[in-house]
Amino acid sequence: MEKKPHFARREFLPREASSISLALLLVAVLLLNALLYLYLNKFYSSSGRAETDPGLCPLGHFRLGTVKNCSPWLSCEAINREVRKLKCVGEGAVKKVFLSEWKENKVVLSQLTNSELKEDFLHGLKMLKALQSKHVVRLLGYCEQQFTILTEYHPLGSLRGLNETLHIPKYKGMNTWRHRLMLAIDYVSVICYLHSSPLGTLVMCDSNDLDKVLSQYLLTSDFHILVNDLDALPLVNRSAGRLVKCGHRELQGEFVAPEQRWPYGEDVPFEDDLMPPYDEKTDIWKIPDVSNFLLGHVEGSDIVRLHLFDIHAACKKEDPAERPSAQEVLDTYRKVLTLLIQEAAMPATREML
């Protein structure tokens, strides 16, 4: 008679354990979703960086280093008096770039090297002044008379050195599919910002090959991407029938969009006047190639590529009108990040049980 309660308890315990496990699973999933929401919300707001001003200062001002107060953009006089050149760190067709120092802060001083390209230089300065945001390198000062621009220094340099940077012991922990996908999201965010900028729809024209594209962007120490070179940024105004052409020379290769290539065959010599103009969808064509570089070849990156296959195929449509907008690409990237983080979290949830 005493054994019956014993058997009853043995039948009841597995059900009780099952109910407890189910409850724990539900709590774990809810907790993970809450943490994921907070994490992604923080990421999508760009880690607290302001949308319109990277230093939380009024337009025409900046804040640098540990200084709490905002300073006005440095004038010609201030630059000549307070900025000290340290060494030349780069030179392009338009300007020479010097690592410099201002009040114990490393800064970058850019100076025009070819007087024939002064219009390009001044256009870049105009864009830099007008587009100050979390997506654009911080302007610290300028001198139009001397064709000089002063910007914030980022020691990791351009995106061209990304893979080398990720092999440095200090940054090896960032060499994951997640951080690389976040960089790709940053890149598309910049394109999206340029296509819907305060000035209108701007096209990133200095992008005829992958290496050139990567040289236009900087990698920050907290692993974000900023656009740095705005010398070639023409405006599309579709309602006014205004399209663009990226330069006056023939563009070739699979990297540039089909509409950027000479359409009349090899038998017809290239003439700039006969070359049809195009719009911002040239930037969309290039997104898959840039993202492929940013994703690299780490564990999980092929899974990311698989999830991005459809949107990347759409970016490569021959007809520019059939390609998605930068915002549509950005939305897809963000959804993929959310999905993959959730999938990666589920095994950990099961282990908790």
Side-chain angles (χ1 to χ4, degrees):
M1 297 295 293
E2 295 179 356
K3 292 183 178 180
K4 288 182 180 179
H6 175 68
F7 285 119
R9 280 195 300 270
R10 289 182 64 183
E11 291 176 359
F12 173 75
L13 283 174
R15 295 176 185 173
E16 185 181 58
S18 177
S19 299
I20 293 173
S21 297
L22 186 61
L24 285 172
L25 177 62
L26 182 61
V27 170
V29 169
L30 291 173
L31 181 60
L32 274 170
N33 283 336
L35 291 173
L36 180 63
Y37 172 80
L38 292 172
Y39 172 75
L40 292 174
N41 185 59
K42 182 180 180 182
F43 170 69
Y44 292 153
S45 62
S46 297
S47 302
R49 295 182 300 168
E51 177 70 32
T52 55
D53 187 353
L56 295 175
C57 292
L59 186 62
H61 295 72
F62 70 92
R63 186 169 59 205
L64 194 62
T66 57
V67 178
K68 294 183 178 180
N69 298 325
C70 295
S71 302
W73 286 338
L74 300 185
S75 63
C76 296
E77 181 184 357
I79 291 174
N80 291 333
R81 185 180 65 250
E82 301 173 12
V83 176
R84 181 170 65 93
K85 290 181 185 177
L86 298 178
K87 63 178 180 178
C88 179
V89 291
E91 183 173 2
V94 178
K95 54 186 177 287
K96 185 178 288 188
V97 180
F98 297 90
L99 175 62
S100 305
E101 191 174 55
W102 176 73
K103 294 187 176 179
E104 299 182 352
N105 291 290
K106 295 286 192 304
V107 293
V108 174
L109 188 71
S110 301
Q111 292 184 317
L112 178 69
T113 54
N114 186 345
S115 59
E116 295 180 0
L117 299 175
K118 64 181 180 181
E119 292 303 320
D120 292 338
F121 185 90
L122 293 175
H123 177 75
L125 173 58
K126 177 184 176 182
M127 294 294 104
L128 198 54
K129 289 161 64 178
L131 298 176
Q132 283 295 288
S133 71
K134 66 181 182 182
H135 304 291
V136 179
V137 68
R138 191 174 304 176
L139 179 63
L140 309 180
Y142 62 92
C143 180
E144 288 193 34
Q145 298 94 313
Q146 298 174 8
F147 297 99
T148 298
I149 300 174
L150 193 70
T151 54
E152 188 175 17
Y153 171 63
H154 293 280
L156 296 183
S158 80
L159 273 183
R160 284 188 297 188
L162 173 63
N163 290 325
E164 289 75 13
T165 296
L166 289 172
H167 281 96
I168 298 173
K170 180 180 178 181
Y171 297 108
K172 278 189 175 180
M174 309 294 282
N175 195 18
T176 65
W177 69 262
R178 187 178 306 183
H179 286 100
R180 283 179 170 271
L181 178 53
M182 286 179 176
L183 287 178
I185 289 175
D186 261 6
Y187 165 70
V188 178
S189 296
V190 173
I191 299 299
C192 191
Y193 174 69
L194 294 178
H195 287 185
S196 57
S197 82
L199 300 177
T201 302
L202 300 167
V203 182
M204 195 68 179
C205 261
D206 230 348
S207 56
N208 299 334
D209 57 66
L210 179 60
D211 194 61
K212 187 64 175 175
V213 171
L214 298 174
S215 71
Q216 309 301 304
Y217 296 87
L218 294 171
L219 180 63
T220 68
S221 296
D222 60 348
F223 267 66
H224 283 284
I225 290 177
L226 301 174
V227 63
N228 180 51
D229 196 330
L230 304 175
D231 294 346
L233 211 60
L235 179 69
V236 168
N237 189 336
R238 202 173 281 101
S239 61
R242 180 179 177 181
L243 300 177
V244 303
K245 287 192 287 187
C246 292
H248 304 288
R249 298 179 180 179
E250 182 178 1
L251 301 179
Q252 296 177 326
E254 293 298 314
F255 187 82
V256 297
E259 63 272 23
Q260 292 184 281
R261 303 172 208 151
W262 180 243
Y264 303 118
E266 296 180 359
D267 295 336
V268 180
F270 176 82
E271 286 188 43
D272 184 43
D273 291 340
L274 297 178
M275 180 67 199
Y278 34 83
D279 62 18
E280 76 281 1
K281 290 299 184 72
T282 57
D283 289 333
I284 304 300
W285 172 273
K286 298 160 188 172
I287 285 176
D289 298 287
V290 178
S291 290
N292 186 55
F293 169 82
L294 294 174
L295 290 173
H297 298 282
V298 296
E299 183 179 355
S301 62
D302 287 340
I303 299 298
V304 177
R305 288 184 178 89
L306 183 62
H307 280 79
L308 296 176
F309 180 84
D310 288 342
I311 192 67
H312 282 173
C315 291
K316 290 294 188 179
K317 294 280 189 181
E318 288 287 319
D319 184 354
E322 295 181 4
R323 295 173 205 153
S325 67
Q327 185 63 58
E328 290 171 325
V329 178
L330 180 59
D331 290 343
T332 302
Y333 274 40
R334 287 174 169 173
K335 287 176 184 176
V336 168
L337 175 64
T338 302
L339 174 65
L340 291 177
I341 290 178
Q342 287 175 331
E343 290 180 353
M346 289 310 295
T349 304
R350 287 192 288 268
E351 287 178 9
M352 290 170 62
L353 302 174

